[in-house]
Amino acid sequence: MAELHVVGEIVGAMGFEDRNLFCKWGLEAGSMWELVEGESGGQTHCDYPPEGEPCVVWAHPVDAHFAAKSLVGWPKMWFQVWSMDAHGAKDLAGYGFAHVPTAAGEHELDVATWCPEGTAAEKLSAFFVGGRPRLKFEEVIHQPGDRFRLQTKAAGVVRLRLGVCVKDFDKYNVRH
């Protein structure tokens, strides 16, 4: 089978309203792909940057090795960025996703994230009680379909540094 190896890191994030951030992430691939080795998801630590620092630093490792029968369902990474206040309460800061680059080599990616806007009642509740609107079905983050119906606002950017290595795609007639 053709193989894809993705090695790198989730460098950090910038542009979010909140300061103390952590990130839940995952790798999703189609049914023609198998994760041979590595983690399909995880969570970074919560970074508490000093005042005036424009970004958070996670430097969280990513290492995944896939075997593929087809290009259909090429892997993608999804992200949920969360903030944590002084009392340990967590709140959504943004959702985002990016396809793993198809070209071999080193890549630096900036992944734009977004938040659901919610109804007027949800906005009012979030202002007084806290807790931003969240998705009921998190698959909407990375699957095409109903995402166009959402009302969202821009949140911030997650920075990735990934090395991509492909093997035997030509040998098994998997064209990329």
Side-chain angles (χ1 to χ4, degrees):
M1 285 204 273
E3 298 177 45
L4 172 71
H5 202 147
V6 182
V7 180
E9 67 177 334
I10 303 171
V11 177
M14 64 199 85
F16 287 89
E17 290 177 13
D18 302 305
R19 308 260 320 128
N20 307 326
L21 302 173
F22 66 95
C23 179
K24 295 179 182 182
W25 64 276
L27 276 161
E28 295 287 332
S31 61
M32 302 299 277
W33 293 75
E34 177 187 350
L35 182 64
V36 178
E37 278 186 281
E39 296 293 326
S40 64
Q43 179 176 311
T44 69
H45 66 279
C46 188
D47 187 28
Y48 298 88
E51 276 305 314
E53 185 68 30
C55 58
V56 297
V57 177
W58 294 317
H60 186 83
V62 174
D63 188 352
H65 182 187
F66 289 95
K69 296 178 185 173
S70 167
L71 288 180
V72 175
W74 188 269
K76 49 192 149 193
M77 291 185 76
W78 58 263
F79 304 93
Q80 293 181 11
V81 180
W82 294 79
S83 64
M84 187 180 305
D85 68 15
H87 305 290
K90 302 170 192 92
D91 199 7
L92 177 70
Y95 296 112
F97 88 98
H99 289 276
V100 171
T102 57
E106 298 224 9
H107 305 274
E108 198 161 292
L109 304 169
D110 285 339
V111 181
T113 62
W114 49 271
C115 283
E117 278 228 305
T119 63
E122 289 171 326
K123 289 178 189 177
L124 191 63
S125 173
F127 179 78
F128 287 109
V129 181
R132 295 183 183 111
R134 300 180 189 172
L135 295 175
K136 277 187 183 175
F137 305 104
E138 294 175 352
E139 299 80 32
V140 172
I141 300 170
H142 57 83
Q143 289 181 352
D146 290 335
R147 198 170 45 232
F148 71 91
R149 294 182 183 167
L150 295 174
Q151 292 183 348
T152 63
K153 62 180 180 175
V157 173
V158 174
R159 176 157 288 168
L160 302 174
R161 190 173 299 127
L162 298 176
V164 175
C165 181
V166 294
K167 178 183 175 195
D168 293 337
F169 274 66
D170 293 333
K171 180 178 176 182
Y172 292 102
N173 288 326
V174 179
R175 304 274 183 238
H176 67 101

